[in-house]
Amino acid sequence: MKKIAVFASGNGSNFQVIAEEFPVEFVFSDHRDAYVLERAEKLSVLSYAFELKEFENKADYEAALVELLQEHQIDLVCLAGYMKIVGPTLLGTYEGRIINIHPAYLPEFPGAHGIEDAWNAGVAESGVTIHWVDSGVDTGKVIKQVRVPRLADDTIESFEERIHATEYQLYPQVLESLGVARR
Ligand code: GRF
């Protein structure tokens, strides 16, 4: 059975959807006060949290992550709102086994503000993408992506809500397509 870990930095709504549908070995947060940790506790999912600033450098921080992943024999790392660029230490060991969800139709609107950037550009449609992680920012090979329209009476909030609702559909679909067994 494929074992998954989820990395999230903040809210963790995608983590919650994943954990409700699939067994999650552990969730990691790079912020000790992230709300995702409360979600993990409620769902009885093992969690770890430590911060980059607690280490000498990013290589040491990522070495600690690699150790955790190896200790738990993780097959697939699912980034879901993990707000750090994956560096060479983690990528060196796990490239090809890390996926990310992005709230836009890549290569359109990469980066940390995919929803706002699409909204501000006045697009008729944006989307959601799940892709393999490489050393770039949201540049890895696309696994699956879907379009999300911007409707005439949308506000940025309703547009954002529709994007998130699409994310909650797409992540489970992609995990299943990658051979992760549901609960
Ligand atoms: C999602 O929109 C995801 O696509 C992006 O960050 C957001 C995380 O939301 N990378 P949440 O923490 O899962 O609620």
Side-chain angles (χ1 to χ4, degrees), residues 37-97:
L37 298 169
E38 286 179 41
R39 293 186 192 264
E41 197 175 344
K42 284 190 197 129
L43 291 160
S44 304
V45 173
L46 176 65
S47 67
Y48 295 97
F50 50 78
E51 305 200 4
L52 174 57
K53 65 182 185 216
E54 296 160 13
F55 293 80
E56 281 283 301
N57 51 47
K58 190 156 174 183
D60 288 357
Y61 159 82
E62 287 198 340
L65 285 174
V66 167
E67 203 173 297
L68 265 186
L69 293 169
Q70 287 176 337
E71 187 185 312
H72 287 272
Q73 300 182 302
I74 297 300
D75 299 298
L76 187 69
V77 181
C78 306
L79 308 186
Y82 177 67
M83 300 307 286
K84 279 189 172 54
I85 293 168
V86 175
T89 305
L90 185 49
L91 218 47
T93 327
Y94 279 89
E95 187 156 17
R97 291 183 283 172

Side-chain angles (χ1 to χ4, degrees), residues 8-15 36 39 79-83 100-104 115 128 163-164 167-168:
S9 298
N11 178 33
S13 64
N14 279 280
F15 156 72
V36 67
R39 293 186 192 264
L79 308 186
Y82 177 67
M83 300 307 286
N100 179 47
I101 188 161
H102 183 74
I115 300 175
V128 173
I163 300 247
H164 289 311
E167 294 189 304
Y168 305 152

